[in-house]
Amino acid sequence: MGTLDKCNTEEEMRVWWNKHDCKNMIASLKIDGNGIVLTYKDGKFIRAYSRGDGEYGQDYTDKIFKIASIPLTLKNKFSGHIRGEAYMRKSIWENNFKDQKNPRNTAAGILGKKDIENCKYLDFIAYDVFDDDNVVDKTKKEKFTFLQENGFKIPEYIENPTFEQLIEWKNKLNTNGEIP
């Protein structure tokens, strides 16, 4: 599992926009968390791994049971993988871990420890689906719909914007560090 590309400035967005065919595009927030892939078999959660080095990740399976926002059973017999980010809400960090550097590093530290109790402070946001029989993994909109129907949080997104609409949407986003 590799990492996601992201654009941080309007100029980076314009360069990216000009290099790509942006018809039928969905733009979404990039959550700065810890990449995790969840594996399901016949609709039941079976394991989770970190992004690691892109080829080999750390086994997080035992920790997932403490993260309330991860469904352990899906509505259908889905077999495949859900990709997303484990993160800590800014308000949780401020109320419980303010002595730590920041929410992202705190979440990474929690995931890296053997003690799984603090995983209850983490949340998960899903942004991609890879299923074994290629039924779900078609369009981004179909993936987001599948994820929501199965109880996952997904990032805010905008469909088929012009570049100007994309910039306007980006500038209106919640910037206080909280994810709804």
Side-chain angles (χ1 to χ4, degrees):
M1 178 172 73
T3 188
L4 291 177
D5 290 333
K6 59 187 169 203
C7 297
N8 293 310
T9 67
E10 187 173 325
E11 185 54 35
E12 288 174 347
M13 290 173 75
R14 186 175 301 283
V15 168
W16 184 92
W17 186 275
N18 290 334
K19 287 182 182 178
H20 296 85
D21 176 12
C22 296
K23 295 180 184 132
N24 301 316
M25 180 180 90
I26 290 185
S28 67
L29 287 177
K30 164 59 170 95
I31 306 307
D32 189 21
N34 297 269
I36 294 181
V37 63
L38 308 172
T39 301
Y40 290 82
K41 178 86 171 154
D42 296 324
K44 296 186 187 327
F45 170 76
I46 57 170
R47 73 176 150 288
Y49 287 93
S50 70
R51 186 173 70 81
D53 64 6
E55 188 173 344
Y56 297 101
Q58 184 175 352
D59 187 344
Y60 287 163
T61 303
D62 59 336
K63 295 166 174 57
I64 297 309
F65 295 101
K66 290 287 186 179
I67 303 175
S69 59
I70 296 178
L72 300 178
T73 304
L74 304 182
K75 293 180 181 180
N76 59 25
K77 298 288 184 184
F78 172 82
S79 292
H81 311 283
I82 307 294
R83 186 174 172 190
E85 299 277 325
Y87 67 96
M88 180 176 286
R89 291 176 176 274
K90 187 176 180 184
S91 59
I92 297 290
W93 176 75
E94 288 174 344
N95 290 331
N96 299 282
F97 300 96
K98 190 78 171 174
D99 60 322
Q100 302 295 315
K101 185 173 181 179
N102 59 47
R104 189 203 179 284
N105 288 6
T106 304
I110 288 171
L111 287 167
K113 291 182 179 174
K114 289 184 181 183
D115 177 14
I116 65 171
E117 193 56 37
N118 281 339
C119 289
K120 68 184 177 189
Y121 293 111
L122 302 180
D123 215 331
F124 182 81
I125 193 159
Y127 54 80
D128 215 344
V129 177
F130 304 94
D131 62 322
D132 294 344
D133 56 6
N134 297 317
V135 173
V136 177
D137 52 349
K138 296 183 184 211
T139 70
K140 194 66 166 177
K141 179 68 173 178
E142 289 171 330
K143 291 177 183 188
F144 279 167
T145 299
F146 171 85
L147 291 166
Q148 283 186 302
E149 287 174 350
N150 281 282
F152 289 97
K153 292 180 183 181
I154 62 169
E156 290 184 54
Y157 67 91
I158 185 172
E159 294 182 73
N160 303 317
T162 64
F163 182 75
E164 292 72 24
Q165 289 169 327
L166 181 64
I167 296 302
E168 183 179 332
W169 173 75
K170 179 192 77 73
N171 291 336
K172 287 182 182 178
L173 289 172
N174 176 356
T175 58
N176 71 359
E178 283 294 322
I179 299 165

